[in-house]
Amino acid sequence: MRVAVIDYSLCKPTKCNLECIRFCPVNRSRRSSKAIEIDSNTGKPVIYENVCIGCNICVKKCPYNALEIENLPDELSKLAIHRYGKNGFKLFGLPVPKKGEVLGIIGKNGIGKTTTIRILAGELIPNFGDKERKASENEVLERFRGTELFEYFQKVYSKKIKVAHKIQYVELVPRYLSGKVSTLLEKADERGIAIKLASELGLSPVLERDVKNISGGELQKILIVATLSKKADLYIFDEPSSFLDVRERIRIASLIRELVPKESYSIVIEHDIALLDYLSDNIVVMYGEPGVYGVASKTYSTRSGINHFLDGYLPAENMRIRKEPIRFHVSEAPPQRHGGKSNEIYIEWRDFTISLDGFRLDVKPGSASKGEVIGILGPNGIGKTTFVKKLVSMISEDRPEDEEIKFSYKPQYVSPEIFEKKTVEENLINANPQSLSTGTWAYEDIVRPFGLYKLREREVSELSGGELQKLALAVSLIKDAELYLLDEPSAYLDVEERLSVAKVIRRLTESRSVAAFVVEHDLSIIDYICSRIMVFEGKPGEHGFANSPMELREGMNKFLKILDITFRRDPSTGRPRINKKDSYNDREQKRIGEYYYIPKGEENLSEKP
C-alpha cells in the first residue's frame, strides 16, 4: 500500500518545470495510465497511488519539497479511518477510550492526534480513507460493529455522551469570544465550581478583565476551568500544560485527576512526558510521518507505553518508530566535560539586584563553565527572563572587544520582528551557511527534523506561531557560538522535537566545550540535559530571588521541595516519574528529604532514619 501526499501550500507548478511529472518513470514509459499529472480543475498535480510505483524520484526532484510518498504494509489498509482529500493526510486506527480511566495520547505534531480526538468526540465523521464520499454515522457504526468502539460511537451519535473539549490553540479564544472572564466562566459553569476553581488557580485578579486582555497562561487556565466546570461524559484536554510553569502544571494535573467524574471518559494529549505519566492510566502511541500518515498503536499501560515510545519500538505492533532509544542520565555528578576545560569559566557574576516596574530580583553570585548546561527553574513572573536578558547585556557591554564571547540568544516570545532576514532560507543561511546542506549536523539534527527545509522560500511574516518558534530555535542553535541562552526552547514542540533539541544542546556543550543557560518548565528536559540548575523563588510579580547554580540533584531537591512533589526514576529508561501525592514513595521520600530520586544503594527506604 502506498500513501502519496502533496502539500499544496508549497506546490508551485507555475514556477517550476514540472519535474515531478517529467521524471516519473511510469509517465516516461508511455503507458496508458499516468502516475502523476496536472488536475485540469485545480492546475495542481495529482498522484494516483494505485499506479505509482513508490520510487520517490518525484519527491527528490521537487524543488519545493511539496511531495511525500510512503510505502506501507498492506495490512494497514484495513485500518484506514480518515483522509483529508486527494493526496492528503491519512489516519489509520483509533484508540479505545475506557470509562473511568484517563487515556493519554503521545506522538509527534502533525501525526493525527487532534484528528483522532475530533472523531472520538463526534466532531468529525470519518470517511475511512475514501475521500470522494462523505460517510454517515450509520456507516461508522456498521464499520465498528463487533468491536469495543461500536458501543462507544453508538452513545456519541445518539447524544448520550456530552463532550467537554479543551482546545489546543488557546490563543485563538480572543478571536471568537469577548466579555469579562467571570461572565464567560459563569456561562460555562454547570457544576457550580468555576469561580472557586479560578480562585484556586490564581485567576481572581483577572476575573473582571476582558478575555482579550489576558496572557496565554491565564487563557490556558481559564479554558481548563471552563472544561472541568461542564457536566460531561467525555473530557478532552489537548495540551493542557502550554504556557504554564511547573507549579501550575502539577496543580492542573491534580485538579484533572480529582475533578473529572469517575464514570466519565477522559483523553489527554500532552508533550510533557512527566506530566502525561502523572495524568494517564493508559497510553496510546501515535506514530507515522507527520503530515503524511498517522497510526494509533494498541493501548499500553502508562509506564510501558511511554517507555516503548522512548525505546523507539512498539512490541505489540512489532514496529520500530525511531532509530535510537532515548535514555536519561542518572548520574548524581554532572556529565563529564570534554577537553579538560571544566574549570574554565565563561561568564561570572557577583550578587546584584534588578528593579523593574515594581518588581525586584535579587541574584546570588555564580558562574558558568565550559562544557555545562545550566537549567533555570521557577514559576512564571519570578524573573527568569529578566535574569537571562541581564546576562545578554553583561556579555555585550561589560567585556573588552578582544575578550568578547560569541553568544546565541533565543527569546521567550517570538515574532517576525526578531529575525534579521525576510525569508526562512535567508535566516538559516545567515545563522549558518551550511544549515541547508544535506549531511551537516545543522541540517540533519535541526533543520530537517523541524521541517524547515520545506519552508525555505516562505517569508517569516507568513509563518504560524509554531513555525516561528521552530525557526527562532533553529537559528539560535545552529549559530557558531560559545554561550547559548535559550528561553523556553520546548514551547510549541512535540515530544520527539523536544528530546531532539535537548540532545543537540547537550552534544553542543559537551563536544565543543561551550556553555548554555536553559529556561524551561518541562522537568524531563531539565533532567535530560542539565549539569547544574538555578532555582528561582519568591512572590511572582513582586519579588524574585535567584539562587546560585547548584548541582543537579541538590537543585532539583530544593525546587521539588518548594513544589511539595517527589520524583522517582524509571528503572528501564532512567526518566523521572512524578509520585502520586501521599503514595508510599511520596511519603517516604519526603521523610528522608530525597525529593528528586533515591540514590542507588539507598532504595530500602524503611531502613533510612
Side-chain angles (χ1 to χ4, degrees):
M1 185 183 66
R2 209 157 282 115
V3 175
V5 171
I6 301 176
D7 188 337
Y8 289 112
S9 67
L10 300 175
C11 180
K12 300 173 183 177
T14 58
K15 293 185 178 181
C16 69
N17 295 315
L18 300 179
E19 287 87 349
C20 57
I21 295 175
R22 290 173 49 235
F23 287 96
C24 175
V26 176
N27 288 8
R28 290 166 69 94
S29 68
R30 301 185 185 279
R31 297 180 187 176
S32 56
S33 298
K34 292 185 177 182
I36 181 169
E37 64 181 358
I38 295 294
D39 188 298
S40 58
N41 295 322
T42 64
K44 297 285 182 86
V46 176
I47 300 174
Y48 302 108
E49 293 167 344
N50 58 335
V51 180
C52 173
I53 60 174
C55 65
N56 271 291
I57 291 176
C58 59
V59 175
K60 297 173 183 176
K61 292 292 184 180
C62 177
Y64 300 109
N65 298 296
L67 280 65
E68 293 282 352
I69 297 176
E70 294 286 339
N71 297 309
L72 304 178
D74 289 335
E75 291 81 0
L76 272 182
S77 60
K78 301 174 184 177
L79 300 176
I81 296 296
H82 191 72
R83 187 152 202 188
Y84 288 100
K86 290 181 179 179
N87 298 136
F89 175 85
K90 197 168 186 178
L91 176 67
F92 298 91
L94 282 177
V96 182
K98 293 186 178 179
K99 189 174 288 189
E101 297 182 358
V102 179
L103 176 67
I105 301 180
I106 189 172
K108 295 180 180 180
N109 285 330
I111 210 76
K113 301 188 300 296
T114 299
T115 298
T116 295
I117 59 175
R118 288 188 63 212
I119 292 172
L120 292 174
E123 299 169 6
L124 175 67
I125 307 296
N127 57 24
F128 300 105
D130 187 350
K131 61 268 181 189
E132 301 298 332
R133 67 183 178 87
K134 184 177 180 181
S136 67
E137 294 177 355
N138 288 333
E139 288 177 277
V140 175
L141 292 174
E142 191 59 37
R143 170 64 73 95
F144 290 114
R145 188 175 296 278
T147 70
E148 290 182 85
L149 282 170
F150 174 77
E151 183 181 352
Y152 173 82
F153 276 115
Q154 205 172 33
K155 293 178 182 177
V156 170
Y157 295 147
S158 62
K159 309 301 179 186
K160 292 181 180 178
I161 289 183
K162 183 181 177 182
V163 180
H165 186 178
K166 202 293 294 181
I167 62 172
Q168 177 182 12
Y169 297 108
V170 298
E171 59 269 30
L172 297 178
V173 172
R175 297 185 190 179
Y176 302 99
L177 293 177
S178 61
K180 290 195 302 184
V181 172
S182 59
T183 304
L184 295 174
L185 287 179
E186 286 167 1
K187 287 181 180 178
D189 193 7
E190 295 174 352
R191 301 173 66 186
I193 60 174
I195 301 302
K196 181 183 176 183
L197 274 182
S199 177
E200 286 185 36
L201 293 176
L203 291 172
S204 297
V206 304
L207 288 177
E208 298 308 308
R209 289 190 203 168
D210 191 285
V211 72
K212 297 182 185 297
N213 300 321
I214 58 177
S215 68
E218 290 163 343
L219 273 174
Q220 180 75 274
K221 289 188 281 187
I222 287 166
L223 287 184
I224 291 171
V225 168
T227 303
L228 287 173
S229 300
K230 294 282 188 183
K231 286 182 178 178
D233 306 287
L234 170 62
Y235 291 85
I236 298 174
F237 298 91
D238 198 343
E239 298 187 26
S241 75
S242 302
F243 301 103
L244 303 182
D245 62 40
V246 179
R247 184 191 299 273
E248 291 169 332
R249 291 181 183 198
I250 301 299
R251 183 65 183 134
I252 287 295
S254 299
L255 285 176
I256 291 174
R257 295 285 308 185
E258 177 186 340
L259 295 176
V260 169
K262 301 300 181 187
E263 67 278 5
S264 298
Y265 300 94
S266 304
I267 301 175
V268 175
I269 296 175
E270 183 51 64
H271 296 307
D272 183 333
I273 57 174
L275 193 69
L276 184 68
D277 186 359
Y278 184 74
L279 266 172
S280 306
D281 296 307
N282 297 297
I283 290 286
V284 166
V285 178
M286 299 288 294
Y287 62 95
E289 185 64 31
V292 182
Y293 76 98
V295 184
S297 76
K298 298 183 184 302
T299 302
Y300 293 95
S301 68
T302 299
R303 177 178 177 270
S304 296
I306 294 178
N307 283 356
H308 293 329
F309 175 79
L310 294 174
D311 286 339
Y313 176 71
L314 303 177
E317 288 78 12
N318 191 24
M319 177 65 65
R320 179 152 294 284
I321 61 175
R322 195 185 312 104
K323 292 180 181 178
E324 298 178 355
I326 296 167
R327 290 289 181 267
F328 291 78
H329 67 78
V330 293
S331 172
E332 296 174 36
Q336 181 64 42
R337 297 161 189 162
H338 295 253
K341 300 179 180 179
S342 60
N343 294 322
E344 189 172 341
I345 294 175
Y346 255 150
I347 184 172
E348 190 172 13
W349 63 91
R350 297 178 180 178
D351 56 331
F352 62 88
T353 298
I354 301 174
S355 296
L356 185 67
D357 297 329
F359 174 78
R360 176 180 169 178
L361 175 65
D362 294 317
V363 182
K364 276 192 171 184
S367 64
S369 301
K370 288 190 173 184
E372 73 171 343
V373 181
I374 295 180
I376 298 177
L377 284 173
N380 287 329
I382 205 67
K384 302 186 302 296
T385 298
T386 300
F387 171 75
V388 170
K389 288 181 178 178
K390 176 63 176 177
L391 284 184
V392 171
S393 67
M394 289 169 62
I395 296 167
S396 305
E397 301 167 7
D398 296 352
R399 289 174 176 264
E401 189 173 334
D402 60 343
E403 293 182 14
E404 282 187 359
I405 294 177
K406 291 189 291 184
F407 71 92
S408 180
Y409 174 51
K410 185 263 173 193
Q412 179 183 17
Y413 298 110
V414 178
S415 66
E417 290 73 29
I418 71 168
F419 297 97
E420 298 178 6
K421 303 294 182 180
K422 188 176 181 181
T423 67
V424 170
E425 181 176 28
E426 289 171 342
N427 279 289
L428 291 173
I429 291 177
N430 185 54
N432 186 327
Q434 295 186 324
S435 60
L436 289 170
S437 301
T438 305
T440 62
W441 73 268
Y443 181 82
E444 299 298 340
D445 290 347
I446 299 294
V447 176
R448 183 173 179 81
F450 281 7
L452 293 172
Y453 67 100
K454 295 182 179 181
L455 308 174
R456 57 193 300 168
E457 293 203 355
R458 294 269 292 276
E459 292 190 9
V460 172
S461 58
E462 298 174 352
L463 300 180
S464 67
E467 290 167 343
L468 280 173
Q469 283 278 3
K470 290 181 183 181
L471 178 60
L473 186 55
V475 166
S476 301
L477 286 174
I478 63 179
K479 283 182 179 176
D480 182 16
E482 297 168 293
L483 184 62
Y484 294 85
L485 303 162
L486 307 170
D487 200 342
E488 298 193 25
S490 74
Y492 289 96
L493 303 186
D494 62 41
V495 180
E496 292 210 24
E497 289 169 340
R498 291 181 184 198
L499 294 171
S500 174
V501 166
K503 190 182 294 184
V504 169
I505 294 170
R506 192 167 71 178
R507 186 185 306 145
L508 274 176
T509 55
E510 292 182 356
S511 63
R512 295 187 181 182
S513 290
V514 298
F517 284 84
V518 178
V519 179
E520 186 52 71
H521 295 307
D522 188 333
L523 292 182
S524 298
I525 301 303
I526 289 289
D527 179 86
Y528 187 67
I529 61 174
C530 293
S531 49
R532 293 193 294 163
I533 62 174
M534 291 179 67
V535 177
F536 282 60
E537 50 188 322
K539 190 171 183 180
E542 295 183 17
H543 183 210
F545 183 80
N547 291 278
S548 300
M550 304 174 231
E551 296 301 330
L552 181 62
R553 181 179 164 200
E554 179 190 0
M556 286 294 284
N557 255 328
K558 181 178 181 66
F559 181 66
L560 294 175
K561 189 171 184 178
I562 295 170
L563 296 180
D564 194 36
I565 61 173
T566 58
F567 274 50
R568 67 190 185 279
R569 289 284 185 180
D570 183 84
S572 300
T573 63
R575 66 184 172 89
R577 304 185 68 192
I578 305 174
N579 291 320
K580 296 291 191 292
K581 190 172 180 62
D582 293 327
S583 65
Y584 175 77
N585 277 351
D586 182 58
R587 295 194 311 271
E588 289 299 305
Q589 284 184 229
K590 286 176 180 176
R591 184 177 66 82
I592 64 174
E594 294 291 354
Y595 285 72
Y596 184 33
Y597 70 97
I598 304 167
K600 194 172 183 181
E602 297 184 17
E603 290 88 349
N604 193 343
L605 297 175
S606 60
E607 297 179 3
K608 192 83 174 178

